[in-house]
Every structure is written in C-alpha cells, then in structure tokens.
C-alpha cells in the first residue's frame, strides 16, 4: 500500500535498535505485524553525533504513539517526510491512503512540486460497458471508492514542503485499514473467507483468505501441480495459519537447487515488490553464476511480513537447499526480516542492499539534489569508489561540510549504520561482488518490463519462468562460447595465460582489468624474510597505500584491501607483488571453482555422495529421492551437451534403470555394478571428444523415473 512502512523507516528502526542496545532500559514497545507502520521507540539515549543528537534521528523517523493532527501550514523537510507523517496518521486512525495527484515543475528537471495524499476511498467508480467477449470472460469486482474527500496536499517552497490544503473528515467508518490493496486489485480476496489480523491497537480485524476459490489462487495451485508433474525434484511448501488459511507459498525447481550447490555461497533476498502497492508480493533468492549472470535459488509469494513468516520462509528455503546456509546474505532493511536472519543464519554475514539505500537517499534528498546537481554523483562515488575506509570517511565528511548537511537526519542515520551496507566495511566476507559499481538486475527490472495491474498471477509466473529459462539458455551459450573460443590476453605473462585458461571469459575480463592495473603501481619492499611485506601506492594518487604480506614457503599472499576475500578474484596489489616475486603461475587456491569453466562439474559432489552412502541409507524416502533426483539432473546436464554424448548417456541410464529393477526384484543377489558395461556399445571418451555443436536452446529439465 502507499501507506505502508517505507524502506527508510525500516532502516532507521534498525538504527534505533542499535542505539537502544546501548541502554539497558531501552526497549521497543511492539514487534512488526501485518500492519506496516514504524514501531514505537522508547528510552533511546540522546548523545550527540556529528551535530545531530541520536534522539533527534530516532524521533525524525520513529513516529510517536499518538501522532500529531495535520494542520495547514505544517512544514516538512521533504515530500517523503510528509508522506511518512500522513502514513502514521492514517495508520493510527485506521484508513488506507494513496498519492492521488502530483505536479511537476516545467523545465528540464521536471521536479515534483506538489503531492496530494488522499484516502483510498476517494473518488467514484465509473463502470465500463464491457464488450460481449469481456462480459463472458471478466467477473465483476468491488470498488473501494466511495467519494471520500479526506486528503492532505503539500507543496514545495524553497527548501521545504508546506501543507497547503487539508480535509480530515471521512464519509465512511474508520479502523479497518489492512494490507488488502494489492490483494483486492489482484482478485485474490473472497469476502466469505476470513482470517484474523491484528491492528495497531491490538483489535482483531478480518483479512480474507488469499487462496480462496476463483481468482488467481487456482492459477497458483495449477502452476505448482504442473511444475511437480514436470520435475520430480520440484520442491514446494505452503504455510497456513491456525485457521487453516494459506499465508505464504515457497517453491524451487531442480535447476534452482542445482544452481545453489554451485553458486549458493553469496545470496540476495529480493523484496522489490514493496516499492509499489500493485506489485506482486513475490520474492526471490538469487545469486550470480560463473558468467556473472543472475541465477535463481527459489521463489515465494509472501503475503505476510512478520518475523514468524520470514522464519518459516528461511527455514523452508534452507531445507530445500540441503540445509547449507550461504556465506553472505544481502537483503532489504526490515526489522522483522533482520530478526529472522539473525536466528536462521547466525554464521552468515548479513548486509543491507547498498542500491536500496542509495535509491532511498535520492528520494529523501530530492530538494537538496535539485539545488546541488553534483551532490548525488559525489555521494555515490564516495560509497562505491572509495578504496579505503579512511578515504570514504574523509570524503563523506567533506561532502557533508561542503553542502552544509550536518543536520540532515537521514544522512546521519545511514552513516551511523555504514558497517551494515557500505562495502568497504564488509570486505573480509565473500559476496561474489566483482563489480561493486555495477548494479545487478533485480525483480524491479522484471516488473517494469512484464507486469501491470491487470496481469494475473498465472500469467506472471509463466512470464517469470520464461525469463528464467532464457537465463539458462544464456548460460549454455556462454559455456559454449568459452569452449570454442579462447580469451584474448594482452601480455605475454604466464600468469595472465593461466587465468585465461581457467576462468570463464566474463570473470577473466575482471581479472585482466586487475592484472593490467597492477602495472601502474609503485611497489616497495618494507620487510625481508620468509614472510615479506610490501607497500603499494599509485603514481597519481599516493594517498591510498595498501599493504601486501607474502609467504615464500607456500607462495600465498594477502592484501589489506581484502578484495580477494570479498570477490574471489586477486586484487591488483597482490598481482603486482606476484609479478615481482614469482612471475610464472599463481597457486591454484586463488582460482575459486565457482568462477572457473568447471564451476558446474560435480565430480567432488559425487565423491562426497559415495563416501556418505551408509549415512544416506538411513534417510527417509523423501531424502533419498531428492538425492537421486539431484544425481539424475547432473546426468541430464552432462548428457545433453551434444548428440553423441546424449546417445551415450541415454544408453547408460537405460542399463542403470534395468539394473535397479533387477536388484529390486532379487535383492539377495547383491549389487552387480559390473553388469553395466558402459563401453559395450559406445566409448564415452570418444563421445566426449565429439565436436558437434550442442543445441544452444537446450533446457536442462529432463525427467527421470527413478522408482517404479
């Protein structure tokens, strides 16, 4: 909903938690619930930070328990502050609202100069006369609009916003605000089906069952059935509340689970849908593959945003992924989500998405950006391009001083939690982020291209599946390009050639960039011995100095920039030292398998499976079934590479199936693995060397019947 709790409010709530943790008497008066509003903060200690007290920051973003009434002439720092105020006012009275009108100034910038927040029941519904075809296809839907005139209009005046028009009277009962704006628009609500929902004052309200008969719910169930029928390893789970009503749904196909085995060390939990009240409440777990392409690890429809729902979702996702937690997790800033992450991923490094915060900063500082056009680029450059923490902090301070923003509560707040979102403070953890300045594709990009308010859930899911399928095709094409075409080196260095033969082309281009840049640094040895030390500076910018320690006994090195730990690719500083001390080859430990051409090779996984076969025997039928499906998928991935390999794989699998059936009938005979002579009709070595082109449009979704 437009009146939903905003990203910024969530971020500041988290900051308030940090402040309150310093005071043993501090506490939060309520937890997140289905009603999205900023929680009440009590007992925060007010200490001065950079000219603005911490209490001021908390008060600016955590509304009081009983918000003030809006009045004509009231001023706000930005239109977002006005919206946040009206949000809390609407939440307290119990009515949903939306942005009814906005106006932009004429000119090149087209800056917003007016916004009008109206009750969601404003206006009247004009029934369209449907055509004969539409009359048979579309069902009548109820409109919320009842001609309510309640509204608050704010206009820009210089560097602040002023309430210019106000109407507080409603023509309908209040106290029934709920998270149904999207659900009603999607046709997911049925008035006869109800489930408890808690309001801000503790009163039990009513929320309709989102998976009732008709609407998009049946489309979702049909989709899950279809996926299960086409993919034996397809995993899905449905969460219901105490009344038996469906709350959240999660699913992941076999390809998503296979991708997680290879690339699940760094995960992003994408909740972009919250940016727009009409967006599908659709979330994804995603990462990047060895070609730096996005890859999906699972999806969910998240109708509730409580801590309990997030815990259920994370537990379910972990179960589907084999119980292995990621090394790092990037999420939006949300209090309930943060609490769930802390409980389910205690050993994973949790980071807030820097792009969400920078986007939010653009909204918060609209008027400042208008007055100072260069400010946005300077702030983003400070966050994304600073090479050391000291440089970042010095640059940030100079920007604050330059534009006189010492009293800006938003900038002060995000600076005080910089350790949770600025990459420089998290460089000792792997995030698979080889291009910190390159924004990754998000669900918001998908929404903009494929989604509108009339898109049904079934159509949306089919479009999403098509997009995911095209990503797998892109990966297959990149694999083939790496197989047929060698990467081009720029020097005669054996180190560069070693990297070109090991990495995929996409990753090698990043390595090559670091390798080339290493030639422009001044390297000075500061300590001799088995463990030597070097200082590295750049010719034109000696202000940033990096320190590399090199161990001659094992030929390993580490750098103060920690770029390798963060991205998995050696930094220019270590490469510069290697060129001096050992210009031949790099230790194999520096080539992470997930970035290489063999990233999807499963030899090690099959070996682990063989070593654990006695443990596997004691598992449940479902667990054994999932393991066998995973093995079958690996056979499908390898076997579909070319026509010759496909024929060989088909023959081997058929013989393996016959052997399994025979063993099932005569278990006392024992395992006769030698009976499957894989070289009987075709030599695998010859098939693998076949140079025929594989089908670039192949889809690795073959189904194997592993049980009779």
């Amino acid at each position: 909903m437009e009146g939903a709790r905003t990203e910024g409010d969530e971020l500041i709530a988290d900051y308030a938690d940090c402040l309150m943790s310093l005071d043993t008497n501090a506490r939060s008066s309520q937890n997140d619930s289905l009603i999205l509003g900023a929680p009440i903060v009590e007992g925060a200690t007010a200490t001065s930070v950079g000219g603005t007290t911490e209490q001021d920051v908390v008060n600016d973003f955590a509304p009081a328990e009983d918000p003030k009434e809006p009045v004509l002439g009231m001023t706000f720092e930005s239109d977002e502050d006005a919206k946040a105020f009206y949000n809390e006012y609407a939440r307290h009275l119990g009515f949903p609202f939306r942005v009814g009108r906005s106006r932009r100034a004429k000119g090149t910038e087209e800056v917003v100069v007016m916004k009008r927040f109206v009750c969601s029941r404003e206006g009247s519904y004009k029934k369209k006369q449907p055509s004969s075809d539409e009359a048979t296809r579309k069902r009548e839907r109820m409109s919320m609009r009842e001609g309510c005139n309640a509204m608050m209009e704010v206009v820009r005046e210089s560097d602040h916003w002023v309430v210019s028009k106000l109407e507080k009277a409603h023509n309908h009962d209040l106290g029934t605000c709920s998270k149904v704006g999207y659900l009603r628009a999607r046709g997911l609500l049925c008035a006869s089906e109800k489930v408890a929902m808690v309001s801000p004052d503790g009163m039990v309200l009513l929320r309709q069952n989102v998976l009732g008969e008709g609407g998009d719910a049946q489309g979702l169930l049909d989709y899950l059935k279809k996926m299960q029928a086409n993919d034996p390893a397809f995993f899905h789970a449905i969460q219901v509340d105490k009344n038996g009503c469906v709350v959240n749904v999660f699913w992941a196909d076999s390809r998503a689970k296979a991708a997680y085995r290879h690339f699940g060390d760094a995960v992003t939990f994408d909740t972009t849908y919250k940016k727009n009240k009409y967006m599908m409440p659709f979330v994804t777990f995603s990462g990047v593959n060895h070609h730096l392409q996005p890859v999906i690890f699972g999806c969910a429809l998240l109708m509730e945003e409580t801590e309990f729902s997030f815990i259920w979702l994370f537990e379910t996702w972990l179960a589907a992924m084999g119980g292995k937690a990621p090394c790092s997790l990037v999420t939006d800033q949300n209090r309930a989500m943060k609490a769930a992450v802390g409980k389910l991923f205690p050993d994973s490094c949790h980071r807030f998405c820097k792009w969400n915060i920078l986007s939010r900063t653009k909204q918060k500082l609209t008027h400042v950006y208008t007055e100072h056009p260069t400010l946005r680029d300077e702030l983003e450059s400070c966050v994304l391009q600073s090479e050391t923490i000291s440089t970042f902090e010095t640059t940030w301070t100079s920007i604050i001083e330059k534009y006189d923003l010492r009293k800006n509560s938003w900038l002060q707040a995000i600076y005080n939690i910089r350790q949770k979102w600025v990459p420089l403070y998290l460089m000792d953890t792997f995030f698979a982020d080889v291009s910190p300045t390159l924004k990754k594709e998000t669900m918001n990009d998908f929404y903009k291209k494929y989604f509108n308010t009339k898109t049904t859930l079934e159509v949306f899911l089919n479009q999403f599946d098509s997009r995911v399928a095209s990503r797998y095709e892109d990966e297959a094409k990149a694999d083939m390009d790496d197989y047929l075409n060698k990467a081009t080196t720029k020097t005669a260095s054996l180190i560069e050639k070693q990297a070109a033969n090991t990495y995929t082309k996409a990753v090698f281009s990043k390595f090559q960039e670091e390798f080339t840049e290493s030639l422009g640094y001044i390297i000075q040895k500061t300590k001799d011995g088995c463990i030597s030390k070097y200082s590295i500076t750049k010719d034109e910018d000696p202000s940033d100095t990096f320190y590399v320690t090199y161990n001659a006994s094992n030929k390993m090195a580490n750098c103060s920039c920690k770029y390798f730990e963060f991205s998995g690719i050696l930094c220019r500083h270590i490469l510069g030292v290697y060129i001096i001390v050992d210009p031949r080859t790099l230790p194999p430990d520096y080539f992470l398998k997930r970035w290489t051409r063999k990233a999807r090779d499963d030899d090690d996984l099959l070996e682990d499976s063989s070593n654990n076969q006695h443990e596997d025997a004691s598992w449940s039928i479902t667990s054994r079934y999932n393991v066998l499906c995973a093995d079958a998928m690996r056979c499908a991935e390898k076997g579909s590479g070319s026509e010759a390999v496909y024929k060989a794989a088909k023959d081997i699998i058929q013989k393996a199936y016959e052997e399994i059936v025979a063993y099932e009938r005569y278990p006392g005979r024992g395992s006769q693995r030698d009976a499957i002579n894989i070289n009987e009709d075709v030599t695998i070595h010859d098939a693998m060397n076949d140079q025929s082109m594989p089908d670039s449009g192949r889809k690795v979704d073959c189904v194997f019947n592993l049980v009779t």
Side-chain angles (χ1 to χ4, degrees):
M1 294 179 60
E2 282 288 341
R5 183 178 182 177
T6 63
E7 299 176 59
D9 297 332
E10 296 285 3
L11 176 61
I12 300 305
D14 287 331
Y15 171 52
D17 281 344
C18 295
L19 300 184
M20 290 187 294
S21 67
L22 302 177
D23 186 347
T24 56
N25 295 324
R27 65 188 184 277
S28 177
S29 63
Q30 69 181 61
N31 295 322
D32 279 19
S33 65
L34 289 176
I35 295 296
L36 302 180
I40 303 164
V41 178
E42 298 178 355
T45 304
T47 57
S48 179
V49 181
T52 302
T53 65
E54 294 174 343
Q55 184 64 55
D56 290 338
V57 178
V58 175
N59 289 340
D60 282 341
F61 292 90
E65 184 174 356
D66 189 7
K68 294 186 298 183
E69 292 274 334
V71 294
L72 288 173
M74 181 180 287
T75 61
F76 301 94
E77 185 177 330
S78 67
D79 59 328
E80 287 297 319
D81 288 342
K83 181 180 176 181
F85 168 83
Y86 201 66
N87 169 33
E88 190 61 25
Y89 170 70
R91 188 182 71 85
H92 182 72
L93 292 185
F95 69 92
F97 78 96
R98 55 186 167 84
V99 178
R101 287 186 58 189
S102 64
R103 186 171 66 248
R104 295 178 179 271
K106 296 181 179 180
T108 57
E109 294 293 334
E110 293 191 351
V111 177
V112 176
V113 295
M114 184 275 286
K115 275 192 177 181
R116 179 181 296 175
F117 309 110
V118 302
C119 174
S120 290
R121 301 197 181 192
E122 178 265 353
S124 58
Y125 174 66
K126 296 181 181 179
K127 184 177 180 180
K128 296 181 180 179
Q129 295 297 327
S131 63
S132 58
D133 292 336
E134 291 178 334
T136 59
R137 288 189 288 105
K138 293 186 177 180
R139 61 186 180 279
E140 185 69 19
R141 291 180 177 175
M142 186 187 307
S143 172
M144 288 183 63
R145 306 201 174 188
E146 299 179 5
C148 181
N149 294 322
M151 63 87 182
M152 184 181 80
E153 181 179 295
V154 292
V155 296
R156 180 195 297 275
E157 291 186 3
S158 184
D159 61 346
H160 61 276
W161 291 70
V162 180
V163 177
S164 59
K165 295 182 181 180
L166 180 67
E167 175 58 61
K168 295 189 286 186
H170 295 259
N171 67 347
H172 55 87
D173 294 333
L174 301 178
T176 58
C177 178
S178 65
K179 187 185 176 184
V180 300
Y182 161 78
L183 302 176
R184 180 178 287 109
R186 303 260 38 86
L188 288 171
L189 301 182
C190 177
S192 63
E193 295 166 316
K194 303 172 181 178
V195 59
M197 179 180 184
V198 181
S199 69
D201 58 3
M203 182 178 65
V204 175
L205 305 177
L206 296 177
R207 175 176 56 83
Q208 290 87 344
N209 181 0
V210 299
L211 288 179
E213 296 182 1
D216 290 350
Q218 188 60 47
L220 173 62
L221 298 179
D222 292 342
Y223 170 82
L224 296 176
K225 291 179 181 178
K226 178 187 71 174
M227 295 295 289
Q228 184 70 68
N230 294 335
D231 183 354
F234 180 76
F235 180 101
H236 71 279
I238 298 175
Q239 182 190 26
V240 298
D241 59 17
K242 62 182 180 181
N243 295 320
C245 297
V246 175
V247 179
N248 301 309
V249 182
F250 168 82
W251 65 94
D253 63 13
S254 57
R255 293 182 298 183
K257 293 192 285 185
Y260 185 77
R261 288 199 311 272
H262 305 294
F263 312 114
D265 41 15
V267 176
T268 296
F269 181 54
D270 190 346
T271 54
T272 305
Y273 79 89
K274 295 196 296 182
K275 291 185 177 181
N276 189 309
K277 68 176 180 179
Y278 293 114
M279 282 187 178
M280 202 80 62
F282 182 76
V283 300
T284 60
F285 295 89
S286 63
V288 292
N289 66 11
H290 53 319
H291 298 293
L292 305 183
Q293 300 166 333
V295 61
I296 296 297
F297 301 140
C299 312
L301 283 171
L302 193 65
M303 299 299 178
E304 290 188 356
E305 296 174 8
T306 62
E307 180 181 336
F308 177 74
S309 288
F310 282 122
I311 288 176
W312 174 86
L313 177 60
F314 293 152
E315 284 181 336
T316 304
W317 176 70
L318 275 177
M321 299 300 120
K324 183 180 179 181
C327 176
S328 61
L329 180 65
V330 179
T331 73
D332 193 3
Q333 51 276 6
N334 176 288
R335 173 174 293 197
M337 188 191 308
K338 178 185 175 184
V341 169
K343 293 178 180 178
L344 271 297
F345 305 102
D347 298 323
S348 301
C349 181
H350 180 207
R351 186 185 92 188
F352 295 147
C353 178
K354 62 179 182 287
W355 298 112
N356 285 353
I357 293 179
L358 290 174
S359 175
R360 187 64 181 166
T361 300
K362 178 184 175 182
Q363 298 175 22
K364 284 288 185 180
L365 302 182
T366 301
H367 62 292
V368 183
Y369 281 172
T370 302
E371 295 176 3
H372 307 288
T374 62
L375 174 58
R376 178 184 176 185
D377 290 338
E378 290 184 40
L379 278 176
E380 292 189 359
S381 176
C382 174
V383 172
L384 302 175
Q385 298 182 14
S386 295
E387 294 188 353
T388 63
I389 291 177
S390 61
T391 300
F392 165 77
E393 294 182 346
T394 300
T395 305
W396 183 280
T397 301
S398 66
I399 293 174
I400 298 299
E401 295 290 338
K402 177 181 178 180
Y403 296 103
D404 193 21
L405 298 172
R406 291 182 299 275
K407 295 183 180 180
N408 187 283
S409 54
W410 171 258
L411 291 176
Q412 183 63 54
I414 62 174
Y415 179 78
N416 281 322
I417 60 167
R418 60 194 181 280
Q419 292 87 354
K420 292 291 293 182
W421 67 279
V422 177
L424 282 172
Y425 294 91
L426 300 153
M427 295 297 289
D428 57 350
T429 303
F430 182 74
F431 280 92
D433 195 352
V434 300
S435 301
T437 60
L438 181 62
K439 189 174 182 179
K440 298 176 183 178
E441 181 181 353
T442 66
M443 280 303 300
N444 192 39
D445 303 315
F446 178 80
Y447 276 121
K448 290 178 180 178
K449 188 173 183 180
Y450 298 103
F451 182 78
N452 60 58
T453 56
K454 296 182 179 180
T455 304
T456 65
L457 178 58
E458 186 174 9
V459 170
F460 173 83
L461 293 176
N462 288 332
Q463 289 175 334
F464 180 76
D465 280 348
S466 297
R467 180 72 184 104
V468 172
S470 70
R471 286 179 176 176
Y472 284 111
E473 292 175 6
D474 291 341
E475 181 180 335
K477 291 176 182 178
D479 283 338
M480 183 49 53
D481 182 50
D482 281 343
Y483 179 74
L484 296 177
N485 305 304
K486 293 183 178 180
T488 303
T489 58
K490 295 181 179 180
T491 70
S493 169
L494 295 178
I495 290 178
E496 188 184 13
K497 290 181 179 179
Q498 178 189 17
N501 293 329
T502 306
Y503 287 130
T504 61
K505 280 188 174 181
V507 176
F508 173 69
S509 68
K510 301 299 179 183
F511 175 90
Q512 192 174 55
E513 180 182 338
E514 293 297 315
F515 184 81
T516 304
E517 287 293 326
S518 70
L519 304 176
Y521 280 80
I522 299 174
I523 302 175
Q524 294 179 329
K525 180 181 285 189
T526 59
K527 181 182 177 181
D528 282 317
C530 181
I531 299 179
S532 54
K533 295 184 178 180
Y534 299 82
S535 66
I536 295 93
T537 56
K538 200 169 182 62
D539 289 339
E540 63 271 17
D541 185 18
S543 59
D544 287 336
T545 301
F546 302 91
Y547 302 95
V548 172
T549 301
Y550 175 73
N551 190 329
S553 61
N554 58 14
K555 297 184 179 181
M556 299 294 288
N558 60 73
C559 180
S560 59
C561 77
K562 296 186 180 299
Y563 181 70
F564 176 74
E565 290 83 348
F566 185 75
S567 68
I569 298 176
L570 276 179
C571 66
R572 57 196 64 179
H573 317 115
I574 291 180
L575 288 172
V577 171
Y578 270 116
I579 291 176
I580 295 175
V581 300
D582 188 10
R584 289 170 294 178
T585 58
L586 296 174
D589 290 347
Y590 284 127
F591 295 97
L592 299 189
K593 184 179 178 182
R594 61 120 54 236
W595 292 137
T596 69
R597 300 182 179 194
K598 297 182 179 180
R600 282 193 178 267
D601 285 359
D602 280 333
D603 295 341
D604 53 342
L605 294 178
L606 289 172
E607 183 179 350
D608 291 341
S609 177
S610 176
N611 293 336
N612 295 327
Q613 59 182 340
H614 298 295
E615 180 182 353
D616 295 349
S618 63
W619 288 352
S620 66
I621 293 177
T622 302
S623 298
R624 295 194 295 269
Y625 179 82
N626 289 335
V627 170
L628 290 174
C629 282
D631 290 341
M633 284 304 303
R634 287 193 282 271
C635 294
E637 290 175 359
K638 291 294 183 184
S640 57
S642 69
E643 183 177 354
V645 177
Y646 168 76
K647 291 179 179 179
K650 188 76 173 176
D651 182 68
I652 294 169
I653 291 174
Q654 179 62 36
K655 292 177 180 179
Y657 178 76
E658 293 172 358
E659 181 70 12
I660 292 172
V661 173
Y663 183 83
E664 184 182 38
R665 293 175 179 172
Y666 308 103
R669 186 181 63 173
S671 177
Q672 301 291 331
R673 297 185 64 181
D674 291 337
I676 307 176
N677 183 3
I678 63 175
N679 294 316
E680 185 176 78
D681 298 316
V682 61
T683 302
I684 300 301
H685 180 72
D686 294 338
M688 291 298 293
N689 289 332
D690 187 275
Q691 298 298 316
S692 58
M693 283 281 290
D695 179 8
S696 62
R698 67 184 175 90
K699 297 181 181 179
V700 188
D701 56 0
C702 304
V703 178
F704 294 87
N705 295 319
L706 299 178
V707 294
T708 56

